[in-house]
Amino acid sequence: MEAGELDRRLAATWSTPPGLWGALSTVDHKIIGRRYTVTAFVFLALGGVLALLMRLQLAQPEARFIGPDRYNQIFTMHGSNMMFLFAVPVMQAMAIYLVPLMVGTRHIAFPRLNAFSYWMYLAGGLLLWIAFAVDTGPDIGWFAYVPLSGPQYAAGKRADIWAQMITFTEVSALAIAVEIVVTVFKQRAPGMSLDRIPLFVWSMLVTSFLVILAMPAIMIASTSLILDRLVGTHFFNPAEGGDVLLWQHLFWFFGHPEVYIIFLPAVGMVSSIVATFTQRPVFGYLAMVMALIATGVLAFGLWVHHMFVAGLPRLGESFFTASSMAIAVPAGLQIFCWLATIWAGRPIFKTPFLFVIGFIVVFVIGGLTGVMVASVPFDTQVHDTYFVVAHFHYVLVGGAVFPLLGAIYYWFPKLTGRMMSETLGRWSFGLIFSGFNLTFFPMHILGLQGMPRRIYTYQPEMPWSGLNMFISLSGIVLAAGFLLFFIDAIRSARSGPIAPANPWGASTLEWATSSPPPSYNFARLPVVESLEPLSDRSDPLGTVEGLHTDRRELLITSVVEARAEARESSVGNSIWPLLAALATSAMLIWSIFTPWAVVWGSIPIAVALIGWFWPKGDPEDES
Amino acid sequence: MRAPRIGLLSTGVLVSGCSGSQSALNPYGAPAVHVEHLIVGIVVLSGVIWLLVMVMLALALRRGRRAETEGQTSEGRLTMTVSAAVAVTVAIIAGMTIASFYTTRSMGVPQSAALTITVRAQQWWWQVIYAGSDGTPTFQTANEIHIPVGQDVRLQLESTDVIHSFWVPSLAGKQDLVPGRPNDLLLRAEKPGIYRGQCAEFCGLQHSHMAVMVVAEAPADYARWITSQRADAKMPADPDAASGQAAFLAKPCAACHTIRGTQATGTTGPDLTHIGSRQTIAAGLLETTRGSLAAWIADPQTLKPGNNMPMVPLTSIELQNICAYMDSLK
Ligand code: HEM
Ligand SMILES: [Cu+2]
């Protein structure tokens, strides 16, 4: 078949119909991934505005811009928004877009579930922000410790809103994790054996397992909290035999891996960028994969380091100190491997690579302060102070947002078909890097000087005013850097220079198709013969023949060797995921007001699910 | 990393209620001193490590730029270098872990400590209960803990509502007060002084205004203080204070506050028996003066929005008399 004819037929089969109906019913992983990413960045911007508001209030002692009630809502919103609505979703969103392309398949596994997960995420985010807009935002901290978040001390609906938002994001994150695992295990291009999987895909695979293993803990926690609040159970009420620390164990058993759920994808992004911009494969592929897995395993062994001052047995604390410190070893290993890659490669100093350099500078500080707080005696002084605020921003912003911004510059051509501006990129990197360090480094000192976190004000006698003012001013520099980034992204998406298929000379499969890719990803599915399929050969990639073009069909391969096993049909566009998400959201929000909502609200959900899974005579139900 | 002793804003004895006395880098008690040594050690070591990594990064970037002319480094040499770096990391991590265990051992609370004081946290103030030699409570005070210098003191930490955290950085690391799970903490001051601390666990609306003062004094002074606190409140001597007392007992004040020796036996708010002798009111918010007392009682909700004391309507004469009375309760 001629190339033009093939494209035409595949497009007819795979593309999303134009207009509103198409937008609401599409299951194209690229459209959803892009939508997801943009939504997450909107939440990043909103969370940033909240941060600026907090810094406005804290710039001076006993300031009266924001009272305690609003302030507590703001810092709770900032934390919950950044963790649950930005950081985790944005990494998963990038994976939804990139992983199918990087493993050389036409579609993500479970595309309708994917659409559903986006709508759930959007609904959870809207719920939280609308509640905040009408002064019902949660005010119990993003960690929502009981009893402060329990029925006795958190009257009204604020804490319920928080707990339900958690449920929305849990559902969404779990769905994506399952899709990624299946896509990576069963849909890789023929020949992409386990030792030829790109490092970013590995990192998303490990991350997805972390999501699947950690989320049940927070589900149990938030459900128990809702039961305590709405039905009157006493899971966390010590007066009735409940236990306050049970909440903390459940929360941190999820909450600590959560940090790695955010960080590991970033590690994968760094590896992709380093390989491309040093023009050689990342040194120590096997060691990198092992480090990812080791980090994932160890991530579950250190939740107690958030509870060192809660009064736990000393022996237990020693174990968790040791495991918390041990996690620095795989992190160090990865840093050394990147350094070796740079050493042996030929670095090209483009914006994505600058963000990687910034990442190394900043993340090493965050890692070292992490080792500090893993030490029980050290932690008894800095826990819940600004030292910890500094530490985790070095890890989360330095360790995840820097790589993410680099990744956006790097994959922007693949996402939009256009290039971002190199000049603006350098400026925004410079502003973000310096603004970030000026804002957060002094917080280490404030913490050692005794400033607790989550305070809406402090007294003029305390020696903290100078640094606080300095930090607030630096925050403006940081915000300016982000603003520039947003301007660049929006402008370039509309009118940036048109990108070729492989503008950076990268070697992984997503660059083997046009920028942006067609609805069917690859006209002919590639066959992989090495870790670097695009750079190791000058002739075109081998391709698979024999898939149907008149219906959505995927190639299924074996887990280890990625040998072709079967052809499998993939579902088409459908409005049911949206309807199911609406029904589920209605039930979850309604249940904040009465437990009966669970009973009545499940009827529309059942209807939506029946519509979703209704068997069709022809599985290729294309309209 | 910056050199450690940045917090040296105050020196030696800490006179007035606050200023600079709340720093982990200004330790005046054995537990805090041990931790400070550990902090300084780890921070300096980490600074060195960071510098080394940065040097490696800079070298890699420079070398990478010239790689074209100098040819490739062999995989074998890279592997050896990376392995060596990982081995050094493991050694350093192990060293820090051992140093940390060693310091932890020195922080244990001896159950035999001669003196035990119960600290009960509430939204948003500290109730402090002193027991007699037989263990039964003898008197209580609020937001201010007196301890003798040079002696191990065991704090029994409890909470009646939400989780709080007791933290006086110059004397010891923090410890949470968890409802239903009493904890304890070793406190020891080597020098007389007033050490400020603050609740460190987010506990609701006025978490920011929940300070505590630890007053460490020579054993003789401490004994004198104990004797004076054991005594009931003095009967007001001058007529203003006397009518202040009458007003206090007639108004809702007495429903929430105790003044030993009068009919006021409320337990919702702090015991006011010796309020006039305390450094601060409202958990460190204001120094105790007649003026600040008046400001607080006239309108507690503007000074500390959302705290659990309502505004009690008083005429200005009543207010002045009540303040005269409070002030006389030394
Ligand atoms: C005119 C009558 C009252 C007077 C003169 C009075 C006096 C005071 C004073 C001097 C303090 C500061 C104590 C300290 O921090 O050491 C205080 C705090 C407090 N009072 Fe009252 N009080 C009155 C009425 C009440 C009432 C009716 C309640 C209970 C409904 C109450 C509850 C509290 C509470 C909970 C605090 C601690 C506030 C905090 O720091 O968060 N008071 N009161
Ligand atoms: Cu507090």
Side-chain angles (χ1 to χ4, degrees):
Chain A
M1 198 184 305
E2 226 175 278
E5 172 64 9
L6 180 63
D7 285 333
R8 202 189 52 73
R9 285 203 204 171
L10 282 169
T13 306
W14 286 89
S15 61
T16 295
L20 183 65
W21 182 256
L24 297 180
S25 63
T26 184
V27 294
D28 185 332
H29 75 95
K30 296 178 293 302
I31 295 177
I32 293 170
R34 208 152 41 208
R35 193 181 274 174
Y36 225 123
T37 310
V38 169
T39 313
F41 270 96
V42 170
F43 286 125
L44 170 70
L46 288 171
V49 171
L50 294 181
L52 285 178
L53 286 175
M54 285 193 279
R55 286 319 311 176
L56 181 69
Q57 165 68 11
L58 290 177
Q60 285 175 303
E62 298 286 11
R64 300 224 164 219
F65 300 112
I66 302 171
D69 183 63
R70 259 298 174 181
Y71 189 89
N72 291 348
Q73 285 184 58
I74 288 178
F75 86 71
T76 303
M77 284 292 292
H78 172 77
S80 308
N81 171 79
M82 288 304 199
M83 296 300 270
F84 296 110
L85 299 179
F86 164 66
V88 174
V90 82
M91 297 301 178
Q92 291 193 310
M94 295 289 279
I96 292 174
Y97 190 94
L98 291 170
V99 166
L101 292 168
M102 290 178 101
V103 300
T105 183
R106 290 218 160 114
H107 214 340
I108 198 163
F110 314 127
R112 288 187 183 173
L113 186 64
N114 193 27
F116 175 75
S117 91
Y118 173 75
W119 298 121
M120 286 301 287
Y121 160 66
L122 184 67
L126 289 178
L127 165 71
L128 189 68
W129 276 92
I130 291 172
F132 177 68
V134 299
D135 204 13
T136 316
D139 55 356
I140 47 181
W142 83 278
F143 44 89
Y145 277 9
V146 293
L148 190 61
S149 61
Q152 266 183 297
Y153 299 98
K157 294 296 171 198
R158 292 174 169 190
D160 305 287
I161 302 261
W162 181 87
Q164 283 309 41
M165 181 276 296
I166 297 289
T167 310
F168 279 92
T169 46
E170 279 158 5
V171 171
S172 164
L174 267 176
I176 302 175
V178 171
E179 294 154 20
I180 298 289
V181 169
V182 176
T183 307
V184 175
F185 276 158
K186 294 305 293 177
Q187 294 183 202
R188 300 199 306 277
M192 187 184 275
S193 50
L194 286 184
D195 55 352
R196 292 177 187 163
I197 298 180
L199 284 171
F200 176 73
V201 175
W202 265 116
S203 76
M204 285 311 309
L205 184 64
V206 176
T207 302
S208 300
F209 275 108
L210 288 191
V211 170
I212 291 168
L213 294 173
M215 286 280 170
I218 185 81
M219 286 188 171
I220 292 169
S222 66
T223 308
S224 313
L225 179 61
I226 294 197
L227 287 175
D228 270 14
R229 293 183 56 87
L230 296 174
V231 192
T233 54
H234 294 290
F235 286 106
F236 304 120
N237 181 359
E240 299 286 341
D243 192 344
V244 170
L245 289 188
L246 173 64
W247 170 267
Q248 297 190 17
H249 282 293
L250 288 173
F251 185 83
W252 291 118
F253 185 79
F254 147 82
H256 197 88
E258 164 101 340
V259 175
Y260 294 92
I261 290 171
I262 295 165
F263 173 63
L264 289 183
V267 166
M269 292 170 172
V270 170
S271 289
S272 302
I273 296 173
V274 165
T276 298
F277 290 86
T278 58
Q279 309 174 59
R280 58 155 287 152
V282 170
F283 172 81
Y285 175 85
L286 186 62
M288 292 297 276
V289 174
M290 288 305 166
L292 284 170
I293 295 172
T295 310
V297 172
L298 281 173
F300 284 99
L302 30 76
W303 79 95
V304 167
H305 76 207
H306 295 268
M307 300 166 63
F308 281 156
V309 299
L312 297 171
R314 283 272 180 259
L315 188 65
E317 290 180 350
S318 306
F319 170 78
F320 287 99
T321 293
S323 60
S324 307
M325 296 231 177
I327 205 159
V329 175
L333 172 62
Q334 296 176 68
I335 299 267
F336 297 132
C337 285
W338 290 318
L339 290 179
T341 314
I342 299 173
W343 173 274
R346 295 186 299 277
I348 302 166
F349 291 82
K350 288 273 173 57
T351 308
F353 193 63
L354 293 183
F355 274 106
V356 165
I357 298 174
F359 154 81
I360 296 178
V361 174
V362 165
F363 176 71
V364 173
I365 296 181
L368 288 166
T369 51
V371 171
M372 297 180 194
V373 295
S375 152
V376 174
F378 199 116
D379 187 58
T380 62
Q381 285 289 18
V382 298
H383 182 80
D384 273 336
T385 70
Y386 266 82
F387 187 93
V388 173
V389 178
H391 156 68
F392 72 75
H393 281 91
Y394 266 78
V395 172
L396 289 173
V397 179
V401 178
F402 277 32
L404 175 70
L405 296 179
I408 294 289
Y409 274 93
Y410 176 57
W411 277 301
F412 198 80
K414 199 48 66 183
L415 285 156
T416 65
R418 292 174 188 275
M419 308 292 290
M420 285 176 80
S421 152
E422 187 60 29
T423 322
L424 288 183
R426 278 163 197 269
W427 272 98
S428 72
F429 168 74
L431 285 172
I432 290 175
F433 182 78
S434 51
F436 171 81
N437 283 293
L438 293 173
T439 305
F440 288 98
F441 195 85
M443 291 189 189
H444 293 112
I445 302 165
L446 273 183
L448 289 171
Q449 282 182 348
M451 179 160 162
R453 67 198 272 209
R454 302 170 189 139
I455 54 174
Y456 77 99
T457 193
Y458 48 93
Q459 289 164 264
E461 306 92 87
M462 305 312 292
W464 307 327
S465 322
L467 278 181
N468 271 303
M469 175 59 86
F470 179 81
I471 289 171
S472 295
L473 292 175
S474 308
I476 298 173
V477 180
L478 181 57
F482 273 103
L483 193 63
L484 205 58
F485 167 80
F486 279 113
I487 291 173
D488 189 9
I490 293 169
R491 218 205 45 161
S492 306
R494 294 223 199 103
S495 58
I498 303 285
N502 189 359
W504 313 109
S507 62
T508 36
L509 281 185
E510 77 274 28
W511 304 103
T513 182
S514 61
S515 305
S519 54
Y520 43 89
N521 289 358
F522 301 92
R524 290 194 160 82
L525 290 188
V527 174
V528 173
E529 281 162 16
S530 74
L531 179 56
E532 305 252 299
L534 299 197
S535 69
D536 287 5
R537 44 185 310 142
S538 42
D539 52 332
L541 285 167
T543 52
V544 181
E545 301 292 336
L547 285 185
H548 277 100
T549 52
D550 55 347
R551 49 177 121 127
R552 298 189 171 202
E553 209 163 53
L554 302 175
L555 185 68
I556 302 299
T557 51
S558 66
V559 174
V560 177
E561 301 282 327
R563 239 180 286 109
E565 276 181 340
R567 294 177 312 176
E568 171 101 357
S569 58
S570 178
V571 292
N573 299 334
S574 160
I575 194 71
W576 287 110
L578 172 60
L579 296 180
L582 285 175
T584 315
S585 307
M587 186 269 269
L588 287 176
I589 295 173
W590 187 9
S591 74
I592 294 176
F593 300 93
T594 162
W596 283 102
V598 179
V599 179
W600 300 120
S602 54
I603 295 172
I605 298 181
V607 172
L609 290 182
I610 290 170
W612 178 335
F613 291 109
W614 193 259
K616 311 277 187 329
D618 173 14
E620 318 315 324
D621 58 322
E622 266 310 87
S623 47
Chain B
M1 299 268 128
R2 196 88 49 97
R5 288 200 169 254
I6 311 130
L8 272 186
L9 285 166
S10 71
T11 47
V13 184
L14 310 148
V15 257
S16 83
C18 314
S19 63
S21 59
Q22 187 172 312
S23 170
L25 301 175
N26 265 345
Y28 290 97
V33 170
H34 292 305
V35 178
E36 194 235 15
H37 289 165
L38 183 79
I39 292 180
V40 173
I42 293 189
V43 168
V44 169
L45 182 61
S46 301
V48 172
I49 297 173
W50 182 77
L51 277 177
L52 285 178
V53 177
M54 289 309 108
V55 169
M56 276 153 52
L57 174 65
L59 290 178
L61 288 170
R62 266 192 54 201
R63 147 88 209 192
R65 275 190 141 161
R66 294 178 310 185
E68 209 115 31
T69 49
E70 294 187 5
Q72 292 292 311
T73 314
S74 76
E75 291 280 314
R77 271 195 53 201
L78 283 180
T79 310
M80 265 179 49
T81 320
V82 170
S83 313
V86 171
V88 172
T89 313
V90 172
I92 293 174
I93 295 289
M96 287 193 187
T97 311
I98 292 166
S100 158
F101 287 165
Y102 197 73
T103 313
T104 310
R105 282 210 346 230
S106 72
M107 301 195 316
V109 183
Q111 289 304 312
S112 59
L115 181 57
T116 297
I117 301 168
T118 302
V119 176
R120 201 172 283 157
Q122 325 212 354
Q123 284 178 323
W124 293 274
W125 59 283
W126 308 87
Q127 185 179 17
V128 185
I129 302 162
Y130 283 77
S133 45
D134 59 345
T136 54
T138 52
F139 66 86
Q140 49 170 282
T141 170
N143 305 319
E144 192 168 307
I145 306 172
H146 286 242
I147 59 169
V149 161
Q151 203 172 310
D152 283 350
V153 179
R154 182 175 157 263
L155 294 188
Q156 158 98 11
L157 302 173
E158 299 167 4
S159 165
T160 56
D161 42 39
V162 302
I163 302 174
H164 303 269
S165 189
F166 182 90
W167 186 39
V168 181
S170 297
L171 298 182
K174 61 183 71 64
Q175 183 68 257
D176 285 355
L177 302 93
V178 184
R181 282 176 169 260
N183 277 331
D184 53 15
L185 180 71
L186 169 67
L187 214 59
R188 186 188 164 98
E190 308 299 347
K191 264 194 189 176
I194 300 172
Y195 304 94
R196 190 184 194 269
Q198 196 168 343
C199 175
E201 180 63 78
F202 178 63
C203 57
L205 210 59
Q206 279 300 338
H207 167 56
S208 312
H209 288 127
M210 191 169 160
V212 57
M213 305 294 156
V214 174
V215 181
E217 11 184 44
D221 295 335
Y222 173 74
R224 223 169 297 131
W225 180 81
I226 289 281
T227 318
S228 72
Q229 295 289 313
R230 277 212 186 112
D232 284 352
K234 280 203 257 343
M235 273 306 158
D238 69 292
D240 283 358
S243 29
Q245 185 190 43
F248 184 93
L249 295 174
K251 295 280 172 181
C253 315
C256 288
H257 294 281
T258 294
I259 297 181
R260 267 180 294 123
T262 74
Q263 290 98 340
T265 52
T267 52
T268 312
D271 183 313
L272 302 179
T273 308
H274 297 285
I275 173 92
S277 71
R278 294 180 203 151
Q279 306 288 328
T280 65
I281 59 168
L285 186 66
L286 300 164
E287 245 177 89
T288 317
T289 64
R290 235 191 245 210
S292 66
L293 281 165
W296 171 258
I297 296 165
D299 187 3
Q301 291 302 322
T302 304
L303 283 174
K304 191 169 168 177
N307 86 81
N308 293 320
M309 167 154 160
M311 184 168 84
V312 177
L314 296 170
T315 65
S316 70
I317 303 289
E318 283 170 335
L319 179 63
Q320 277 180 15
N321 290 344
I322 286 183
C323 293
Y325 176 52
M326 298 277 111
D327 197 36
S328 75
L329 295 176
K330 298 287 183 197

